[in-house]
Amino acid sequence: MRIDKQQIASFNEGLLSEHTKRFDYISSYINDVDTVIEKLVAFQIGIPSWALGAGGTRFGRFHFGGAPSTLEEKIDDVGLLHALNRNSGSISLHIPWDIPADYAAIKKAAADNELKFDAVNSNTFQDQPDQPLSYKYGSLQNVDKATRKQAIQHNIEVIKHGVELGSKALTVWLADGSCFPGQLSFRRAFDNTLESLQEIYSALPEDWKVFVEYKAFEPNFYSTTVGDWGQSYLYASKLGKKAYTLVDLGHHLPNANIEQIVALLLNEGKLGGFHFNDSKYGDDDLTAGSIKPYQLFLIFNELVDGMDARGMNHASDLGWMIDASHNVKDPLEDLLQSVEAIMAAYAQALLVDKKALEDARNNSDVVRAQEILQNAFRTDVRPLVAEARRRAGGALQPLSLYRQLDVRAQLIKERGEDSKTTGL
């Protein structure tokens, strides 16, 4: 299914009068509103292939009709999102779930949907049917050298797939760790992992990056070999200039100050990218901004401030991607909600009066500093985000148009009620 420009234009026409009133009101309070709009238009958020199907928990998964069962269908689904919001211009593939049978055909499918390929992701947290050695006791950390070599070779193969598709980054997330005290040597696990990552790093093309993702727990609950940002930073620092830390918002212990982590990694030039989601308890993988919208804004405030201080391009110098799991929502609706929340938090961060905030800080005016941030957060930026979409050719209200067109019903008609997505 495709959504054409005329459908979007016709939909927008009925909303334009009310939208214009709201946009004119907020823009009257913003200096250089067109620059803000330009930044919103340029900002693109990668959609992971695994977020397009039924998510779930270890206890169960509830399938829905019309799920994409091929890589081509996954690309088409991301194309639908991008047509609606114009901020979902890339897709991130997970290997071996998404190995292309025909690179040229897959690249054409992406181009037809105006999509690029984001970072490619390796998978050594599951045993695949055809692999000779198990990752039950770890992959890159495993005490068995042959198992480590198998995991290394898999990552190198993922890089090769990415090169063929025009990707420029590899994301490595490891489930490696231990469940019980004494199960492994922390020092040896770290050294084995570093040695393995060094082999993978040496296979990177010169213009590529590798993102080392971290996670506090799960599936190992006593130790995780890349368990926090400090451990990831150690690996990235030891590997070299092409290695960076990747921050997943759900991969922290409760109440972690993620905005401070972001600021420090940016300061060290080692922040590579983001996986956006939200959480109440742990790695819940909920819709971005659904639980802690103020935290999302504070993170973006540090991102904008830190990137501006380093002369970085907001849209292209970091990797932006959603990483979520959907079990009770239509995943395309959930992704539309996530992108909307991310764009709103970014827009609010762009509105922070940086000079006034700096003055308040220099005078230790704690109350004033808090008010400056909260004033930006409490600003209804939805008309700004909608105007950016409209100027880029998207829908003023993507979710409403998605439902008006009855997209899920159309996908069920094309793919059937029982279609299932490869991967998780």
Side-chain angles (χ1 to χ4, degrees), residues 48 50-51 53 55-57 125 173 213-215 217-218 247-252 275-291 321-329 331 334-335 338 424:
W50 60 94
T57 70
F125 54 86
W173 175 70
E213 190 172 354
Y214 60 88
K215 188 175 184 180
F217 61 89
E218 194 187 38
V247 175
D248 182 306
L249 298 188
H251 286 191
H252 303 84
H275 281 180
F276 290 105
N277 48 54
D278 211 337
S279 67
K280 177 70 173 176
Y281 300 107
D283 186 25
D284 303 344
D285 272 354
L286 300 176
T287 314
S290 63
I291 305 294
M321 199 184 81
I322 293 170
D323 183 9
S325 177
H326 323 289
N327 206 26
V328 296
K329 291 181 179 178
D334 189 279
L335 288 163
S338 282
L424 283 175

Side-chain angles (χ1 to χ4, degrees), residues 115 117 126 183 246 259 288 291 306 339 342 352-353:
L115 302 178
F117 289 97
Q126 289 178 323
Q183 180 180 331
L246 185 140
E259 51 268 38
I291 305 294
V339 172
I342 293 164
V352 172
D353 188 335

Side-chain angles (χ1 to χ4, degrees), residues 172-225:
V172 179
W173 175 70
L174 300 173
D176 293 13
S178 64
C179 287
F180 298 97
Q183 180 180 331
L184 54 69
S185 161
F186 297 144
R187 289 180 291 106
R188 186 188 297 178
F190 183 93
D191 290 343
N192 284 346
T193 302
L194 177 60
E195 181 182 283
S196 299
L197 286 171
Q198 286 170 333
E199 287 197 50
I200 296 166
Y201 186 88
S202 67
L204 286 174
E206 194 57 38
D207 59 346
W208 268 53
K209 298 176 181 178
V210 60
F211 300 141
V212 182
E213 190 172 354
Y214 60 88
K215 188 175 184 180
F217 61 89
E218 194 187 38
N220 286 287
F221 289 91
Y222 177 64
S223 72
T224 305
T225 300

